[in-house]
Amino acid sequence: MSEYLALPLAALPFPNIDPVIVQIGPLAIHWYGVAYIVGILFAWWYGRRLVTNPRLWTDGKLPMKPEDLDDFLVWAAVGVVLGGRTGYVLFYDFERYLANPLDIFAVWQGGMSFHGGFAGTTLAMILFARSRRIPVWTMFDVIAAGAPVALGLVRLTNFINSELWGRPTDVPWAIQFPNGGPFTRHPSQLYEAALEGLVLFVLLRILTHHFFKLKSPGFVAGAFVAGYGASRIFVEFFREPDQQLGYLFGGWLTMGMVLSTPMVLIGLWAMLTAKPTASEPKTA
């Protein structure tokens, strides 16, 4: 702790943004919830644009109807919320919820895991795609292409909520969070918003519209999974680990790193094994 005593007294001011947008009686609308809704709606809108653009697909053959994505909206929301909450309970604070099981349903108190939400949405996509006879990898690609926007928005609301902040630092852009003690810290939520949100979205956009990788089922989804995993592992070196978990090994290994490493490997495997869809033979 002694090394923190030398941290500068000056820091960038923390923007005092109320986490609650509006409150009417007991009903409160939080930026956090709005970020999830806007992110899901964006992925739906963006996915519709992808599946109605013939030049992105082999022989111009569209893989699904836009109406399929309309119907998938509910599946996606359920997968994100149930998976995200279940993942947080199991991976990040199991003992607390085991002792107080009713707290599991108190989602307004916070506590969502990306990895759990990812697993829940993946299961929802598999079940939905099979029910509509849509190629599963293509379903993954379409949803993955727009997903980074939701990630970026949620990370911004983590910053607004003054949660999941970074480790103590003396960098010029350090911020003293109102509930982060007397230390200036990395604004790691903004690092994640930039990498998992903006950078990853632009990368996937280049893959879909410049390299036409939607014609190779699984490549875009693999790039998303590997890109998120690599971004998360990198930012974990600047992010304070969850208090109830701490470091898992050596003063540097975190649960986020452990859960993200398989994502990098699976994503790379998906990219390396993705093959272009064969064109239909032309008749004379």
Side-chain angles (χ1 to χ4, degrees):
M1 189 66 68
S2 60
E3 65 269 23
Y4 299 152
L5 299 179
L7 293 178
L9 297 177
L12 293 179
F14 179 79
N16 189 19
I17 302 174
D18 193 335
V20 178
I21 302 175
V22 63
Q23 183 165 0
I24 303 175
L27 178 63
I29 300 177
H30 293 74
W31 287 109
Y32 189 74
V34 170
Y36 269 100
I37 294 172
V38 173
I40 291 174
L41 290 177
F42 176 85
W44 161 74
W45 170 81
Y46 191 68
R48 284 179 60 96
R49 291 182 63 87
L50 295 179
V51 302
T52 54
N53 188 343
R55 78 185 190 93
L56 301 180
W57 304 95
T58 302
D59 296 332
K61 186 177 180 181
L62 302 178
M64 65 186 81
K65 301 186 294 293
E67 292 76 17
D68 290 324
L69 291 176
D70 298 348
D71 297 337
F72 180 67
L73 261 180
V74 176
W75 293 60
V78 171
V80 168
V81 174
L82 289 184
R85 188 60 170 173
T86 301
Y88 184 82
V89 170
L90 293 178
F91 299 138
Y92 289 94
D93 213 352
F94 182 69
E95 291 185 2
R96 171 199 165 189
Y97 292 106
L98 185 63
N100 304 280
L102 291 180
D103 285 354
I104 294 175
F105 305 101
V107 294
W108 57 87
Q109 296 178 358
M112 295 285 282
S113 160
F114 167 81
H115 298 92
F118 173 77
T121 307
T122 299
L123 179 59
M125 286 189 286
I126 292 173
L127 295 176
F128 182 84
R130 289 183 175 177
S131 71
R132 297 296 177 93
R133 297 184 178 180
I134 298 170
V136 172
W137 279 111
T138 296
M139 187 77 189
F140 288 169
D141 289 340
V142 171
I143 300 302
V149 171
L151 300 182
L153 291 175
V154 170
R155 292 309 181 192
L156 289 177
T157 61
N158 291 148
F159 180 77
I160 291 173
N161 292 344
S162 185
E163 60 188 5
L164 307 182
W165 17 255
R167 305 181 191 185
T169 182
D170 60 354
V171 296
W173 56 88
I175 290 178
Q176 186 171 354
F177 291 91
N179 57 345
F183 313 121
T184 57
R185 297 179 177 274
H186 283 287
S188 56
Q189 314 97 321
L190 301 184
Y191 302 169
E192 291 189 85
L195 291 175
E196 301 168 10
L198 179 60
V199 173
L200 189 53
F201 176 76
V202 171
L203 172 63
L204 297 182
R205 175 76 180 189
I206 293 172
L207 291 178
T208 57
H209 287 72
H210 183 74
F211 292 102
F212 300 102
K213 285 300 184 179
L214 288 173
K215 297 180 182 182
S216 300
F219 193 96
V220 174
F224 167 75
V225 173
Y228 172 85
S231 298
R232 179 65 181 270
I233 291 171
F234 174 76
V235 175
E236 285 289 313
F237 284 102
F238 304 94
R239 174 175 162 175
E240 187 86 1
D242 293 74
Q243 184 176 7
Q244 68 275 12
L245 289 178
Y247 295 106
L248 303 183
F249 176 78
W252 62 272
L253 183 66
T254 67
M255 179 62 76
M257 293 177 181
V258 171
L259 296 175
S260 297
T261 299
M263 295 185 67
V264 175
L265 299 176
I266 292 171
L268 292 175
W269 169 81
M271 295 171 68
L272 292 173
T273 58
K275 304 296 181 185
T277 305
S279 298
E280 296 180 355
K282 297 180 180 180
T283 56

